[in-house]
Amino acid sequence: MNHSVLIERFSAADQRGVIDVILPIQNQEFGIPISEQQQPDLHDIPQFYQRGTGDFWIARCDGKVVGTLGLKDIGNAQAALRKMFVSAPYRGRDYGVAALLLKALLQHAQAEKVKDVFLGTTDKFLAAHRFYEKNGFQEIHVSALPEAFPLMAVDSKFYRLTF
């Protein structure tokens, strides 16, 4: 199937689309009781992500936002991968949305001379664990995270990719 997926930098017009991808996955699919209000980063993506070596991308298919991915500069040539979400119908190899988003992030991180990318996820996101591991991320203990890493209460599994 040839569905053209476009990866673009986030712009203000994508705000609602980003929230409409993320919230249903968190709330309905994984039963994580987190609200839009509890995620202030979603209301100020440029200030939160698009500074320093950070950025935020969206995947668009047929004009609709179907995936999101943020990179937060945490100083010290290190960054945190955050908000990687792909709407259920667009997951998997047919669309390759997650792989395209990650590729954009990794190219950007390398160009910005980021040395380490860290991420936190929950025990529930099993497909995500496989995806990150397949793409070179290695599981680390929470104690190995840099102090500046934005720890989320729901995160219980952590990964690091070193360039």
Side-chain angles (χ1 to χ4, degrees):
M1 290 172 71
N2 185 12
H3 294 281
S4 60
V5 175
L6 282 172
I7 305 299
E8 300 171 343
R9 284 189 76 218
F10 171 87
S11 70
D14 302 316
Q15 177 87 42
R16 195 68 244 164
V18 165
I19 291 167
D20 290 346
V21 165
I22 294 175
L23 274 183
I25 294 172
Q26 290 172 325
N27 299 165
Q28 287 134 41
E29 201 174 332
F30 289 100
I32 297 169
I34 189 168
S35 71
E36 197 177 310
Q37 289 66 40
Q38 289 168 299
Q39 302 177 79
D41 56 321
L42 294 181
H43 288 281
D44 201 353
I45 287 170
Q47 273 299 101
F48 196 83
Y49 293 103
Q50 295 178 310
R51 0 170 12 142
T53 59
D55 212 335
F56 198 97
W57 298 269
I58 55 134
R60 197 185 298 282
C61 191
D62 302 324
K64 181 179 166 211
V65 177
V66 299
T68 66
L69 181 57
L71 185 68
K72 174 143 181 75
D73 183 341
I74 58 172
N76 234 0
Q78 296 178 317
L81 183 157
R82 303 270 309 263
K83 301 294 189 208
M84 182 163 210
F85 289 97
V86 177
S87 296
Y90 298 91
R91 289 183 200 147
R93 289 204 184 94
D94 283 355
Y95 289 92
V97 174
L100 289 168
L101 281 166
L102 186 64
K103 183 179 171 195
L105 178 142
L106 296 177
Q107 285 174 338
H108 173 84
Q110 285 177 301
E112 292 287 337
K113 311 240 183 309
V114 170
K115 291 198 299 264
D116 301 294
V117 175
F118 295 90
L119 69 93
T121 183
T122 79
D123 289 335
K124 293 180 179 173
F125 294 170
L126 298 176
H129 305 163
R130 286 193 298 275
F131 174 78
Y132 294 129
E133 288 162 13
K134 192 178 87 194
N135 283 285
F137 283 83
Q138 298 193 316
E139 190 172 351
I140 58 169
H141 189 267
V142 64
S143 63
L145 292 168
E147 246 176 74
F149 182 83
L151 213 50
M152 302 296 288
V154 294
D155 291 345
S156 51
K157 204 168 166 72
F158 303 92
Y159 288 93
R160 169 192 203 158
L161 178 71
T162 301
F163 293 103

